[in-house]
Amino acid sequence: MRLLLLAALLAQYQSQPTAESKKLAPGSAAERKARMSARANAAAYTKKFDLSGLPHYVPEEKPTGKLRIYGNNYVGDAPLGGWWKEAFAKFQPGIEIEYFLPSAAIAVPGLYFGLADIAINHEPSFYDSLGHLRLKGYEPTGISVFTGSYDYVGWQNNIVIIVNKDNPLAKMTMQQLDGVFGSVRDGGWVGTTWHPELTRGPEQDIRTWGQLGLGGEWANRRINLHGYSLRYATAIEFSNKVLQSSDKWNGDLHAYANYKRPNGTTYLEGDQVVDHVRNDPAAIGYVRYHEGFPKDVKVIALAKTSASPYVDYTIDTLQDRSYPLWGDQSFWVSLKPGTKMDPKVREFIRFVLSREGQELVQRDGKYLPLTAEAVRAELKKLPDGAQL
């Protein structure tokens, strides 16, 4: 409990400059590392998930050589990266892991420039995938290795939908979210391939609260919507999951980005979304959930389809991925279709997907470990249908 209280106190300061971070270039990996150092070594949850269904790691091969891993700075800033390296070495002493983890922004470029064997990142941007396609002739392959953090600020926590506390709305489907935040589209993206069958017309637009089932004074009330600047990864993730990877958003969307106040503190984009929703009964927003999430806005339940159950956002529904807007981090690799995966890469992925690897994710206490079902699905993506 004391650990969680400490983490909560640190949360309100994690995006503000510290004495050490002020000495470094603003926005640099070094500055962010200094600013986040206290949080990097603190757990966000103490819950222990049952990982007994995950198979133990048993090496299939004993390759040797260097394994270069680029990308997600959180894995390196926290103990997790070091724990993985130490534990894996006991099984595979011939493999030397070399991390370069300043930022997820360099993950996929590290692959297509031939600098990395594994890139740790969320879903690649369009130009990440296109760059890989142009230089390698195929898109990168992703293996999901853990679920996004439940509530840790800055640790790729997950998206929730919020409304004003006085708004009677309690639940929405993913299609309704598309209707509110999206617009008429002529298709959507899957990687770098355009799919015209993902089109939708204006009849699916939702612009009033009455269209979401609210009556009385709400029936003709205009929906005021708020979110992130469309250049942010959060907006892209929301588009990928809700708008069929389309760039056609509701033109009334208010979109925010971080900026410096005159007093030198940062006004976070998520805080701006929350502030607008808490002050406007007719507002709705998407935002990343975090520790100390304000109680004067309401997080609504979501359903995948109108025939699916509505699911509240909790640590359990996130970990088992029943909450529709779950996020994750993946290992991305350059795997030419029809070819064998580098044995060093394959063995490390198998280790991270094992009980031993996922127990270390849980021990680190920020990201959430995979379920046995999720592990089985990811292992099927490996050549030869690898088993542990």
Side-chain angles (χ1 to χ4, degrees):
M1 179 61 70
R2 291 180 63 187
L3 183 61
L4 293 180
L5 288 174
L6 174 61
L9 288 172
L10 289 168
Q12 60 185 306
Y13 299 115
Q14 68 89 27
S15 293
Q16 307 307 333
T18 65
E20 289 301 313
S21 70
K22 289 178 181 178
K23 301 174 184 178
L24 303 167
S28 67
E31 184 271 340
R32 184 175 179 82
K33 184 179 179 69
R35 180 160 38 88
M36 297 287 290
S37 60
R39 294 179 57 71
N41 291 287
Y45 65 89
T46 56
K47 182 180 178 68
K48 299 301 179 185
F49 297 96
D50 181 8
L51 304 182
S52 61
L54 276 65
H56 290 286
Y57 173 66
V58 178
E60 290 184 345
E61 299 181 74
K62 288 282 190 174
T64 60
K66 185 176 294 185
L67 180 64
R68 304 163 301 168
I69 302 177
Y70 272 44
N72 184 322
N73 52 290
Y74 302 118
V75 171
D77 293 346
L80 179 58
W83 289 343
W84 273 347
K85 183 176 182 178
E86 181 181 358
F88 185 61
K90 295 177 181 178
F91 294 99
Q92 296 282 3
I95 299 178
E96 178 190 355
I97 292 180
E98 182 181 85
Y99 286 125
F100 184 59
L101 305 173
S103 170
I106 59 91
V108 177
L111 284 181
Y112 60 66
F113 283 128
L115 302 173
D117 302 302
I118 294 175
I120 310 177
N121 195 8
H122 44 69
E123 189 77 16
S125 71
F126 177 83
Y127 276 99
D128 276 339
S129 295
L130 186 62
H132 197 282
L133 176 64
R134 292 288 187 262
L135 295 184
K136 294 286 190 178
Y138 50 92
E139 294 186 26
T141 297
I143 310 293
S144 181
V145 293
F146 45 66
T147 301
S149 69
Y150 169 62
D151 66 356
Y152 222 39
V153 175
W155 237 263
Q156 194 61 29
N157 43 322
N158 299 270
I159 295 172
V160 294
I161 307 303
I162 59 172
V163 295
N164 187 275
K165 62 181 177 60
D166 295 325
N167 191 314
L169 188 75
K171 57 188 182 181
M172 291 178 70
T173 66
M174 294 291 279
Q175 184 177 14
Q176 287 175 324
L177 277 182
D178 182 6
V180 170
F181 284 92
S183 185
V184 177
R185 60 172 175 264
D186 296 307
W189 293 99
V190 177
T192 58
T193 303
W194 180 252
H195 286 257
E197 70 275 15
L198 298 178
T199 184
R200 81 160 177 82
E203 71 283 352
Q204 294 184 42
D205 284 350
I206 296 175
R207 300 296 182 258
T208 66
W209 290 105
Q211 291 175 278
L212 290 173
L214 302 190
E217 64 177 311
W218 289 89
N220 296 315
R221 205 165 187 175
R222 190 81 176 173
I223 299 173
N224 300 325
L225 57 162
H226 305 269
Y228 290 53
S229 167
L230 302 190
R231 297 191 181 193
Y232 277 169
T234 300
I236 294 172
E237 179 182 342
F238 187 86
S239 169
N240 289 346
K241 293 178 176 177
V242 176
L243 310 183
Q244 302 292 331
S245 299
S246 166
D247 299 320
K248 293 297 294 294
W249 292 73
N250 183 333
D252 292 335
L253 173 71
H254 295 275
Y256 308 99
N258 297 346
Y259 70 88
K260 292 289 185 183
R261 297 184 179 100
N263 65 2
T265 61
T266 300
Y267 194 12
L268 299 179
E269 75 285 80
D271 290 343
Q272 295 173 62
V273 173
V274 169
D275 286 345
H276 281 87
V277 172
R278 65 157 51 102
N279 292 322
D280 179 7
I284 188 172
Y286 71 91
V287 67
R288 291 199 182 276
Y289 192 84
H290 57 77
E291 294 167 311
F293 202 77
K295 303 298 184 184
D296 54 352
V297 295
K298 183 166 57 175
V299 177
I300 66 172
L302 298 177
K304 294 177 183 178
T305 70
S306 58
S308 303
Y310 289 91
V311 180
D312 290 317
Y313 182 83
T314 70
I315 193 170
D316 294 301
T317 61
L318 182 59
Q319 192 265 340
D320 68 17
R321 297 185 172 182
S322 59
Y323 176 73
L325 287 181
W326 60 268
D328 70 340
Q329 292 282 304
S330 296
F331 283 174
W332 296 89
V333 298
S334 295
L335 180 62
K336 185 177 181 179
T339 64
K340 183 179 180 180
M341 182 178 282
D342 181 337
K344 299 189 301 298
V345 172
R346 189 170 180 270
E347 288 300 316
F348 187 66
I349 292 175
R350 293 181 61 249
F351 165 76
V352 170
L353 291 176
S354 74
R355 182 169 175 178
E356 287 78 8
Q358 293 299 303
E359 283 178 342
L360 293 176
V361 173
Q362 179 164 263
R363 176 185 168 194
D364 185 56
K366 288 177 277 292
Y367 292 112
L368 300 174
L370 298 181
T371 63
E373 180 182 7
V375 166
R376 287 192 293 269
E378 297 309 308
L379 285 172
K380 289 179 181 179
K381 299 178 184 178
L382 298 181
D384 306 319
Q387 299 298 317
L388 288 168

